Amino acid sequence: MNGLLSGRPRSRRPEPISKLFTKLGIDPLWDSHTNIDLSLFYNDNISQELKMDEDYINYKSGKGFAFLHYPFVLRPHVKSVGLQFDNRINMNRSVNPFLLLMSGEYPYLKLVVKRNNLVEDALTHLEMVAEEEPQQLQRQLYVEFEGEEGVDEGGVSKEFFQLIIAELFNPNYGMFVDIEDTRMLWFNPESFEVDHNYKLIGMLLGLAVYNNIILDIRFPTVLYQKLMGEQPDIRDLILSHPLLGSSLQQLLDYPDDDVEDVFMLDFIASTTGLFGETITHHLVEGGDEIPVTSENKHDFVSKYVDYVLNTSISKQFDQFKKGFDMVASHSPLKSWFRPEELEKLIVGTPDLDFKRSSLWLDTTTVTRQTQMLSNGSGR
């Protein structure tokens, strides 16, 4: 399987990259297909002893060494604390103290919704915020259910996420389909739902990261790779759609020249529609009249993978990514985390959940460091 497809394009980043990684010819954040297990570079001593307040100040100000410039040595739960610093500091800077005093401007992202109209209320408010003051999307979320008393100290926000995710992922919406052999979810290429709902889900994923909320969703890792700008290939299809991906890999591995007679394939892809019907798509013009041979099988597999993971769901995924980027585009999220680490931030792991709670920032520390940056320590 190695060597069949070209490597992924690498993204330029302002942070310095270790000479070791440069010598090895890999990017520690973006090369998901390297044969090296990048988790081996986690340093538990650094992750356990690091004073994130000091490290973040050095990272932001450029005055001194910061491990956040070398995020591959830090475990995800440690970097998530850095994200919370970034969140709180952005929130502090975006609020004018005078206006806060005179007009009661709210220093959080306040969301008031009705229980019986969750999707429409959330979408309307968040789209308005994204258009008028997008920086508010990185503030801490504060949720109120209309007509109900109570202060959101975290529990109300968690309930909001649980309810709206359950509604948006309801099979009756038809926005996502189960991948039969993994029971994970994938975009429904035949969905009738409006684009805005996909954008809302993307925004919710971003908000969950910045509010330390774990979501009960089941997406394959390739979705997070796409969110981070990576181009998927056959290896990702094998993991996300094992039966289909393995079948295509068998075609690639077949050593003889009688591919056309043995596999009897043409340049078409098949998907299942909303009502269980088979839908065919021509991978090239006149694909139903072009047989797959030993000479063109690599081209066939490449086009098939691109259709399943990109082309067939482009309308849905583009809106989904647009919503996510509305929250994450101006943050260090994509510089600090690899796709599989982003996945852990959103869906959680037992180890990550425990350590996130034990390393959570207290208000005094955040306020003190926020004042330091606001007074000129940061850029």
Side-chain angles (χ1 to χ4, degrees):
M1 181 168 66
N2 293 334
L4 288 176
L5 299 176
S6 59
R8 298 173 184 263
R10 293 174 182 169
S11 174
R12 295 183 62 187
R13 296 180 288 112
E15 292 84 357
I17 299 178
S18 166
K19 292 182 180 180
L20 172 62
F21 283 108
T22 302
K23 188 172 183 179
L24 292 173
I26 62 173
D27 184 317
L29 289 179
W30 288 96
D31 196 340
S32 296
H33 289 160
T34 177
N35 290 327
I36 299 173
D37 180 2
L38 296 178
S39 66
L40 294 174
F41 291 91
Y42 289 146
N43 189 301
D44 288 329
N45 287 333
I46 295 174
S47 294
Q48 292 170 8
E49 302 298 330
L50 182 66
K51 296 180 179 178
M52 181 54 73
D53 52 354
E54 297 177 5
D55 201 73
Y56 181 83
I57 294 296
N58 290 341
Y59 170 84
K60 200 69 175 176
S61 67
K63 300 175 182 178
F65 178 85
F67 280 105
L68 285 173
H69 282 304
Y70 303 88
F72 54 87
V73 303
L74 301 176
R75 289 194 174 273
H77 69 272
V78 178
K79 291 182 283 189
S80 72
V81 177
L83 273 186
Q84 305 312 315
F85 264 109
D86 195 69
N87 181 359
R88 301 296 178 86
I89 289 173
N90 288 336
M91 181 173 69
N92 180 272
R93 282 180 166 177
S94 66
V95 176
N96 185 309
F98 178 76
L99 292 178
L100 178 62
L101 178 64
M102 299 299 295
S103 65
E105 180 183 347
Y106 203 73
Y108 298 92
L109 172 58
K110 187 175 182 179
L111 187 62
V112 180
V113 294
K114 296 185 288 292
R115 285 185 179 272
N116 61 356
N117 202 45
L118 276 180
V119 173
E120 290 75 10
D121 286 352
L123 179 61
T124 300
H125 183 81
L126 292 175
E127 280 194 322
M128 183 172 61
V129 171
E131 182 176 343
E132 297 177 358
E133 295 184 85
Q135 71 276 8
Q136 284 196 29
L137 293 174
Q138 291 183 7
R139 295 181 181 182
Q140 184 175 348
L141 185 64
Y142 185 98
V143 177
E144 286 185 9
F145 288 108
E146 189 173 287
E148 299 181 19
E149 296 183 0
V151 177
D152 186 3
E153 296 180 345
V156 179
S157 293
K158 290 181 180 179
E159 183 185 6
F160 162 74
F161 275 102
Q162 290 171 351
L163 293 174
I164 196 168
I165 289 296
E167 185 167 343
L168 286 168
F169 284 80
N170 189 316
N172 293 333
Y173 267 71
M175 296 176 65
F176 299 93
V177 293
D178 279 324
I179 304 172
E180 291 186 4
D181 38 335
T182 64
R183 309 311 299 173
M184 289 192 173
L185 296 171
W186 193 242
F187 298 91
N188 184 357
E190 305 297 324
S191 173
F192 295 133
E193 281 300 315
V194 294
D195 297 343
H196 288 172
N197 284 347
Y198 285 103
K199 182 165 64 176
L200 174 59
I201 295 178
M203 295 174 74
L204 291 172
L205 258 67
L207 289 171
V209 169
Y210 275 92
N211 287 272
N212 206 40
I213 301 291
I214 299 299
L215 299 181
D216 184 18
I217 54 176
R218 310 181 315 279
F219 285 126
T221 303
V222 66
L223 176 134
Y224 302 98
Q225 292 171 345
K226 285 167 64 66
L227 276 179
M228 301 291 258
E230 295 194 22
Q231 183 63 32
D233 62 26
I234 180 64
R235 289 165 287 190
D236 302 306
L237 188 68
I238 290 173
L239 294 176
S240 64
H241 298 68
L243 292 179
L244 174 60
S246 297
S247 296
L248 292 175
Q249 187 63 54
Q250 288 177 2
L251 170 64
L252 291 177
D253 294 339
Y254 187 73
D256 299 329
D257 294 331
D258 55 347
V259 167
E260 182 177 354
D261 296 329
V262 173
F263 289 89
M264 295 183 290
L265 296 170
D266 298 317
F267 268 70
I268 59 174
S270 299
T271 59
T272 302
L274 281 174
F275 306 103
E277 73 279 16
T278 298
I279 300 173
T280 59
H281 171 80
H282 290 212
L283 297 175
V284 296
E285 186 176 354
D288 58 339
E289 297 179 355
I290 302 176
V292 177
T293 66
S294 58
E295 288 78 18
N296 64 20
K297 65 180 182 180
H298 289 274
D299 185 43
F300 168 76
V301 169
S302 178
K303 285 182 168 58
Y304 208 122
V305 171
D306 181 65
Y307 174 73
V308 174
L309 297 181
N310 295 319
T311 308
S312 66
I313 60 161
S314 60
K315 181 180 179 181
Q316 295 84 351
F317 179 79
D318 288 350
Q319 288 298 314
F320 177 85
K321 187 176 186 298
K322 182 178 180 180
F324 182 82
D325 286 343
M326 284 180 175
V327 181
S329 60
H330 299 295
S331 83
L333 179 70
K334 294 185 179 181
S335 296
W336 291 353
F337 293 86
R338 299 195 303 272
E340 62 272 21
E341 294 176 325
L342 173 61
E343 180 180 7
K344 290 179 180 179
L345 278 185
I346 293 174
V347 303
T349 64
D351 178 65
L352 180 61
D353 295 346
F354 172 77
K355 291 184 177 178
R356 284 168 88 176
S357 62
S358 65
L359 286 174
W360 191 245
L361 303 175
D362 64 82
T363 304
T364 303
T365 301
V366 173
T367 302
R368 183 176 71 252
Q369 300 303 330
T370 299
Q371 290 172 345
M372 289 175 60
L373 283 182
S374 298
N375 290 334
S377 297
R379 290 185 291 184

